[in-house]
Amino acid sequence: MGGHTLIVTNDFPPKTGGIDLFALEMTRRFPPDSVTVVAFGGPDADAGDAEMPWEVVRLPVRTLLPTPRTISAVCELARERGADSVWFASSTPLGFMARKVRHRTGVRRIVATSHGHEVWWARIPGGRQVLRRIGDSVDALTFISKYTRARIAPALSPAARRRMVEVSPGVNPWGSGVGLPAEGEVPRGEELGEASADGGRARARHGLGEGPVVLSVSRLVPRKGQDRLIELWPSVVAVHPEARLVIVGTGSYEETLLEMAEASAASSSIVLTGRLPDADLADLYAAAAVFAMPCRSRLGGLEVEGLGIVFLEAQAAGVPVVVGRSGGAPEAVIDGETGLVVDPGDLGAIRGAVLELLGDPERAARMGAAGRAWVTSSWTWDARYEVLAGLLGRG
Ligand code: GDD
């Protein structure tokens, strides 16, 4: 498998999130000297770049947009590195430059990957035009779930629609949950074997006692639904006084969630950890009895959950999941077998699902085992990479 690929992305470590992780997990699977990552700049944007085995070029802007200057920089890099393929790790808006890059360079294959936010682009007039142009300019526009495909496809020309290919997120084969490295840390997923995750360590570190842990992990934004978990938590503690609710991550909604937790009648059993390094996160997945993220759609369906890598991570760690019915999230679970899908607007239903799993540890364990078997066989990053590499002509 020869060739050189430019990976052009606004989402890459040390920034945290699902698309950043997606871009990283694909990048690390290419032979390191056969890729160049072209990413955003800004303060500390390059923390950790020097330790990465592949080249990362940071352009001097905080967000890459398909401006003439950025297009020229990408074309120049493509020519200098002799690139024959380009991957836009998030299709909008950067994929808009695909046509120019193809015309001005020797690049022959271009792939753009859509996530959840393209559902929004597909619904608004200007956004639809951008998506249509991207679809017509690339060799494949990939999608992460059947839901997102169904919403994005109508914005595309029939020919571009036929070229859509599924490349959904995954987990690492050893099956332990892992997120992204903390600021400045080198990605180290492969070193975090299952044996190294230790639930007891997480309990000691975060003062969780011996009771059951309900875990939720994400960028903290309203649609992820941690507010609902905090709201219903006193009624869970009424049944399981030793239970702890642990919310991991950071984001624009963190302050609000902290205030809600402080004001809660069950505040002493709610822990917001902030952003954690991968190893701590793996320990928490190992400690969890239930993973819950009752994600919801917002803005009349413009903002949805595309899929939810955290559900895959939790199942890979053998933890049953409670999943909000939003966008493609229900596709990340086998309802009734590996977890429970709930209506995120129905507090009673979310509470019922959490209590159902906490109240029947044997069933929860069976679901956890089933989730782990399913996810580690059907949702691996390795398999996703094979598809992507093939689309880029590198298979
Ligand atoms: N180490 C660490 N520490 N990892 C974290 C933390 C933290 O504090 N907070 C979040 N993460 C990691 C999670 O472990 C997970 O790997 C990722 O960040 C979050 O990914 P998603 O659950 O998929 O959410 P997203 O909204 O950021 O991602 C978007 O793109 C994904 C990829 O296509 C959404 O559209 C998702 O639905 C989609 O799956």
Side-chain angles (χ1 to χ4, degrees):
M1 92 142 165
H4 195 94
T5 301
L6 281 197
I7 297 173
V8 185
T9 183
N10 267 315
D11 305 277
F12 207 73
K15 200 160 76 63
T16 318
I19 306 176
D20 311 81
L21 182 69
F22 197 120
L24 172 68
E25 291 290 354
M26 292 297 106
T27 302
R28 73 197 321 174
R29 283 167 169 79
F30 288 92
D33 55 0
S34 76
V35 288
T36 299
V37 177
V38 186
F40 53 93
D44 298 326
D46 61 353
D49 284 1
E51 286 83 34
M52 294 189 184
W54 50 79
E55 180 189 30
V56 184
V57 176
R58 297 277 174 182
L59 299 184
V61 283
R62 281 178 190 230
T63 305
L64 301 183
L65 294 169
T67 57
R69 184 178 286 199
T70 298
I71 295 172
S72 295
V74 169
C75 289
E76 201 178 317
L77 275 164
R79 285 191 294 265
E80 277 175 19
R81 303 296 184 274
D84 43 24
S85 58
V86 172
W87 178 44
F88 294 103
S90 178
S91 69
T92 47
L94 286 174
F96 199 72
M97 70 172 83
R99 193 175 296 171
K100 287 190 173 144
V101 171
R102 197 191 296 273
H103 286 159
R104 294 188 199 168
T105 68
V107 165
R108 285 178 314 213
R109 303 284 300 176
I110 303 184
V111 176
T113 288
S114 65
H115 299 271
H117 65 95
E118 280 83 356
V119 169
W120 177 85
W121 286 80
R123 292 267 305 269
I124 56 167
R128 287 175 77 85
Q129 285 160 359
V130 171
L131 260 180
R132 191 178 174 94
R133 158 119 175 218
I134 293 171
D136 285 338
S137 316
V138 299
D139 296 286
L141 178 65
T142 74
F143 59 92
I144 57 166
S145 63
K146 294 183 180 39
Y147 177 92
T148 61
R149 188 198 183 283
R151 296 298 179 284
I152 293 166
L156 305 181
S157 68
R161 224 174 283 165
R162 283 193 294 276
R163 293 197 301 273
M164 290 184 85
V165 176
E166 182 163 6
V167 183
S168 50
V171 291
N172 284 315
W174 33 262
S176 183
V178 65
L180 286 168
E183 214 90 37
E185 268 183 295
V186 188
R188 53 187 173 170
E190 275 139 353
E191 292 162 31
L192 278 179
E194 190 190 347
S196 70
D198 181 344
R201 197 161 49 204
R203 285 179 184 278
R205 191 178 293 134
H206 300 288
L208 304 179
E210 295 302 319
V213 171
V214 175
L215 177 65
S216 196
V217 180
S218 76
R219 290 181 298 112
L220 299 182
V221 292
R223 86 157 190 271
K224 301 287 184 176
Q226 282 89 7
D227 46 3
R228 300 266 152 82
L229 292 176
I230 294 174
E231 265 179 74
L232 63 81
W233 193 246
S235 65
V236 171
V237 174
V239 184
H240 298 278
E242 299 301 313
R244 295 286 181 276
L245 172 62
V246 180
I247 298 171
V248 178
T250 187
S252 57
Y253 207 41
E254 187 173 3
E255 211 44 50
T256 307
L257 293 175
L258 276 167
E259 281 166 19
M260 286 181 72
E262 268 168 36
S264 167
S267 60
S268 61
S269 62
I270 304 174
V271 179
L272 276 91
T273 67
R275 180 177 172 157
L276 290 181
D278 282 1
D280 290 3
L281 182 58
D283 287 348
L284 271 169
Y285 277 125
V290 174
F291 181 90
M293 196 174 85
C295 47
R296 59 182 181 259
S297 302
R298 296 180 71 236
L299 310 174
L302 288 179
E303 188 190 330
V304 296
E305 194 60 53
L307 184 85
I309 298 174
V310 287
F311 299 126
L312 305 178
E313 291 173 348
Q315 289 170 93
V319 182
V321 290
V322 175
V323 178
R325 190 173 289 109
S326 166
E331 296 174 41
V333 55
I334 307 175
D335 192 16
E337 275 183 47
T338 70
L340 300 169
V341 177
V342 294
D343 173 355
D346 183 346
L347 217 57
I350 306 169
R351 174 179 180 270
V354 170
L355 284 177
E356 198 177 320
L357 294 173
L358 289 182
D360 189 348
E362 278 177 23
R363 179 167 181 235
R366 275 199 308 278
M367 281 187 156
R372 186 188 170 99
W374 181 56
V375 163
T376 54
S377 61
S378 307
W379 294 86
T380 67
W381 287 119
D382 284 344
R384 306 304 183 245
Y385 169 73
E386 291 304 321
V387 178
L388 179 67
L391 293 172
L392 290 165
R394 305 198 42 169

